[in-house]
Amino acid sequence: MEKVFLMKKLLVLFFVLACFTGKAETKTDSVAMTIAGKQIPVSEFVFIAEKNKEVDLSDSKSLKAYVELFKNFKLKVAEAEELGLDKTDAFKEELEGYRTQLISSYLSDKKAEEAAAREVYDRGSEMLELSHILFRLKGKVVSKDTIDAYEKAMKVYDRINKGGDFDAVGKEINGQDNDNVHYEYVRCLLPLQTLKAFEYAAYGMRTGEVSKPVRTNMGFHLIKIHSRKPNPGKIHVAHILIAFPKDSTINGEADALARAEEVYKKAKNGEDFAELAKQYSDDTASAKKGGDLPVIGPGEMIDPFEKAAYALTIPGQISELVKTRFGYHIIKLIDKPEVLPFDKEKKKMMRVMGQGERNFELFKAFDDRMKKEYGYIFYPEAYAELQALCNDYFPTDPAFYEKAKNMNKTLFHVNNKDFPQSEYAYYIQRCPYSTKIYAGDFMQEVFDLFVRDIVTTAERENLTIKHPEFQHLMQEYRDGILLFEISNREIWSKPAEEQKTLEAEWLKKLNQKYPVSINWKLINNIKK
């Protein structure tokens, strides 16, 4: 029964929402109908009609049928209002949820967001093998505090540039300077796995190239690209692990090898792999599942295991014994899932990109369009004066505000208003929303948020002026909820064989109960 109700609700909402892909033509707001004392403007009447492909307003027969359908729809809504269904908490909550969702659709550029996500998706066709040396910045730092780390990074860069081996130098200095220098070899890097600045720098480099210091939220990195390889996608395998004993000795490893060879022989002779895993595997978590492991991608398992797993080509194929630091593995290929197309991945990618520092990348096109529409003008000299304070003070430091609160040069102009430096300084104190640890980056990110807040607020205030269909869409959804609730109560909760008769009787009752006035003269001239 619940499934039937859901299907009927979808059908009702299809009538009143019927996907808006463009603006309907706005007519002069003369009254098309008056139902139960409520005047219905012709703009609302036409707005819904033009989204219903079955309605032809230029055809008299189609027009009359639509008028009858629209009138009955509004009569049912009037009955729902009479019963107070528009006063319930559930109704208010659902309507407010839709309003929030609808406003959000206007305050974004979905095509541009998809394009930004697509760029990251396409980058993921290639995986990088690299090494990097990090010169860490600890805590929040002002500009002068970065000089020492940067100079140390440049000295190492010069040493490598003069012929020093990157990895040898990295291993040599790893842990130096009170453990603020770190070397790391990364077998596989893919998009969205690291900080944005690091990813952009690395993917912009050639094989064998060494970068100059790249600043991220961790510090300064020197990066060397060892290889760029096609992304092989994900893989699904099962395994049996014969683990080395703790405090392993040569004899212990020999015993593990002997047991592994015995189990391997059973697997190759056709014994059930899942049963062997349950009986022999020392990986207790996967053993319970017949050795089954979660689907993995490149870089997610230790190197020898991953190489052996990806070397398998046919489902059911079993690897030879694979030695890792954990013991001996017998790996069985279950499946190599196809790479998901962008359309299947974009929602997840956009959700990830919408959080943290990548949101500026995702929403850049919308931010830029809003700034253009509201006449944004930036004054770089005024910004540079604030940025100079970052040499000595972090933007959230009270001393920063004390210096900036009396600085009143125009920082930018937008929506017919000048915004002085002091107003932005005050905004930093109220909304210090950035994870950046370098003062200049912090100030820039909060500045971008400040401008976004201003233009977005302006767009919200102008929403119904710039987008007159907004009110019609809200009215449709509101009436659609009420239509569903009253129809469910009066008709759909009754036996199916009785519903047609009940519908006719109900409409007859509603037509008698509520006064209806139709402005046929106006309606007949809509398409003339």
Side-chain angles (χ1 to χ4, degrees):
M1 183 62 76
E2 288 182 2
K3 186 176 180 180
V4 173
F5 286 172
L6 176 60
M7 291 303 295
K8 288 181 177 177
K9 183 172 186 178
L10 292 174
L11 289 171
V12 168
L13 294 181
F14 177 79
F15 168 71
V16 294
L17 292 174
C19 118
F20 57 100
T21 56
K23 291 184 182 178
E25 182 184 352
T26 302
K27 303 294 178 182
T28 305
D29 271 13
S30 302
V31 177
M33 296 181 187
T34 303
I35 296 178
K38 277 193 174 181
Q39 293 183 334
I40 299 163
V42 71
S43 59
E44 179 186 347
F45 177 83
V46 172
F47 184 78
I48 296 176
E50 289 187 339
K51 294 190 296 175
N52 190 329
K53 295 179 181 179
E54 296 181 3
V55 175
D56 181 0
L57 294 178
S58 64
D59 178 79
S60 59
K61 184 178 179 181
S62 177
L63 178 61
K64 287 180 181 178
Y66 172 65
V67 168
E68 184 67 14
L69 184 66
F70 188 88
K71 179 199 70 172
N72 290 338
F73 160 50
K74 287 293 187 178
L75 283 169
K76 292 175 182 177
V77 172
E79 181 72 354
E81 291 171 341
E82 176 77 15
L83 295 172
L85 299 185
D86 58 336
K87 302 294 191 297
T88 67
D89 290 340
F91 169 82
K92 292 174 183 177
E93 184 178 340
E94 183 172 352
L95 186 62
E96 184 56 33
Y98 175 72
R99 179 182 176 81
T100 301
Q101 200 172 35
L102 183 59
I103 289 174
S104 176
S105 73
Y106 283 102
L107 300 179
S108 64
D109 185 335
K110 295 303 180 189
K111 286 186 178 179
E113 289 168 19
E114 284 193 15
R118 181 75 198 223
E119 185 178 341
V120 177
Y121 174 86
D122 290 343
R123 195 181 298 145
S125 64
E126 205 173 32
M127 60 182 190
L128 307 182
E129 178 192 13
L130 58 88
S131 296
H132 74 111
I133 304 168
L134 168 64
F135 300 82
R136 186 179 294 280
L137 295 174
K138 286 193 173 181
K140 295 179 178 179
V141 293
V142 296
S143 299
K144 65 182 180 182
D145 294 337
T146 67
I147 295 172
D148 184 54
Y150 178 79
E151 288 180 345
K152 287 176 180 175
M154 279 303 300
K155 284 182 182 178
V156 175
Y157 171 79
D158 290 339
R159 178 181 170 187
I160 293 168
N161 209 33
K162 290 175 182 176
D165 180 79
F166 188 98
D167 294 289
V169 172
K171 291 173 183 176
E172 175 191 326
I173 65 175
N174 184 47
Q176 288 185 2
D177 190 27
N178 295 320
D179 203 32
N180 286 328
V181 179
H182 298 273
Y183 162 81
E184 182 183 17
Y185 165 75
V186 180
R187 182 161 48 86
C188 172
L189 179 75
L190 289 167
L192 302 179
Q193 291 183 342
T194 186
L195 296 167
K196 178 179 150 185
F198 189 101
E199 177 186 314
Y200 271 63
Y203 268 93
M205 294 170 63
R206 300 182 303 275
T207 299
E209 185 179 357
V210 176
S211 74
K212 285 188 175 182
V214 175
R215 191 180 71 242
T216 72
N217 210 35
M218 298 179 71
F220 292 99
H221 305 256
L222 300 179
I223 307 169
K224 179 175 182 180
I225 303 298
H226 298 302
S227 70
R228 305 176 68 113
K229 299 175 183 175
N231 182 350
K234 294 185 178 294
I235 192 169
H236 187 192
V237 299
H239 84 136
I240 298 169
L241 169 65
I242 306 301
F244 293 137
K246 291 181 179 180
D247 303 321
S248 180
T249 62
I250 293 176
N251 289 336
E253 289 193 13
D255 290 342
L257 176 61
R259 288 194 298 117
E261 287 175 337
E262 181 183 348
V263 177
Y264 175 72
K265 188 179 295 184
K266 292 175 184 288
K268 291 296 284 184
N269 287 337
E271 291 192 34
D272 187 273
F273 192 91
E275 291 302 319
L276 290 173
K278 291 175 183 177
Q279 184 176 353
Y280 295 105
S281 182
D282 292 318
D283 178 3
T284 55
S286 68
K288 296 174 184 176
K289 303 173 186 177
D292 188 70
L293 294 171
V295 174
I296 59 171
E300 293 180 15
M301 300 293 282
I302 54 177
D303 191 35
F305 186 100
E306 186 173 299
K307 283 181 179 176
Y310 274 98
L312 301 172
T313 57
I314 303 169
Q317 185 179 359
I318 296 173
S319 72
E320 295 183 357
L321 293 181
V322 179
K323 183 180 179 181
T324 71
R325 65 177 182 269
F326 301 108
Y328 290 97
H329 306 257
I330 306 164
I331 306 170
K332 177 183 176 181
L333 177 63
I334 297 173
D335 187 27
K336 284 190 175 181
E338 291 185 5
V339 175
L340 291 176
F342 175 67
D343 285 346
K344 294 281 182 69
E345 290 280 55
K346 66 181 179 183
K347 284 187 178 179
K348 180 175 72 175
M349 295 187 70
M350 289 165 70
R351 186 169 58 250
V352 172
M353 292 176 68
Q355 301 168 358
E357 62 175 351
R358 290 182 183 265
N359 83 89
F360 295 102
E361 176 184 9
L362 188 66
F363 304 135
K364 183 180 186 305
F366 179 76
D367 290 342
D368 288 348
R369 177 160 61 85
M370 287 296 98
K371 288 193 286 189
K372 184 176 180 180
E373 288 185 15
Y374 287 100
Y376 174 77
I377 301 171
F378 174 62
Y379 295 93
E381 290 182 2
Y383 186 87
E385 289 182 2
L386 285 172
Q387 197 169 35
L389 295 179
C390 292
N391 291 327
D392 299 301
Y393 310 106
F394 202 81
T396 55
D397 189 328
F400 182 99
Y401 181 63
E402 285 300 313
K403 294 282 186 181
K405 70 179 181 180
N406 296 317
M407 296 169 65
N408 288 306
K409 288 183 182 178
T410 299
L411 185 58
F412 61 92
H413 172 93
V414 71
N415 197 26
N416 300 314
K417 182 182 175 183
D418 289 335
F419 289 84
Q421 297 157 311
S422 56
E423 191 163 344
Y424 169 53
Y426 180 63
Y427 180 87
I428 294 176
Q429 304 305 306
R430 291 186 299 114
C431 306
Y433 301 130
S434 172
T435 58
K436 301 297 185 185
I437 65 168
Y438 169 61
D441 291 345
F442 187 101
M443 194 176 86
Q444 181 64 59
E445 196 164 271
V446 177
F447 178 78
D448 291 338
L449 288 173
F450 183 44
V451 176
R452 180 188 288 172
D453 277 355
I454 292 166
V455 295
T456 301
T457 299
E459 185 70 357
R460 284 178 186 274
E461 291 171 351
N462 293 323
L463 202 58
T464 55
I465 298 170
K466 292 179 69 174
H467 306 283
E469 75 278 9
F470 179 84
Q471 294 292 7
H472 293 315
L473 290 165
M474 284 303 303
Q475 185 69 39
E476 283 182 276
Y477 197 84
R478 174 193 181 278
D479 290 352
I481 301 171
L482 296 175
L483 176 61
F484 172 78
E485 293 299 334
I486 194 68
S487 297
N488 186 37
R489 179 180 296 195
E490 296 291 335
I491 305 297
W492 298 339
S493 58
K494 308 298 190 291
E497 62 274 11
E498 298 177 13
Q499 290 181 10
K500 187 174 181 179
T501 301
L502 290 171
E503 173 85 8
E505 291 175 352
W506 185 34
L507 286 173
K508 183 178 178 181
K509 176 184 172 184
L510 293 176
N511 275 279
Q512 292 172 348
K513 182 176 180 179
Y514 297 106
V516 175
S517 174
I518 300 175
N519 188 345
W520 281 107
K521 183 178 179 181
L522 177 63
I523 289 173
N524 284 326
N525 280 284
I526 286 172
K527 283 293 182 179
K528 289 185 179 178

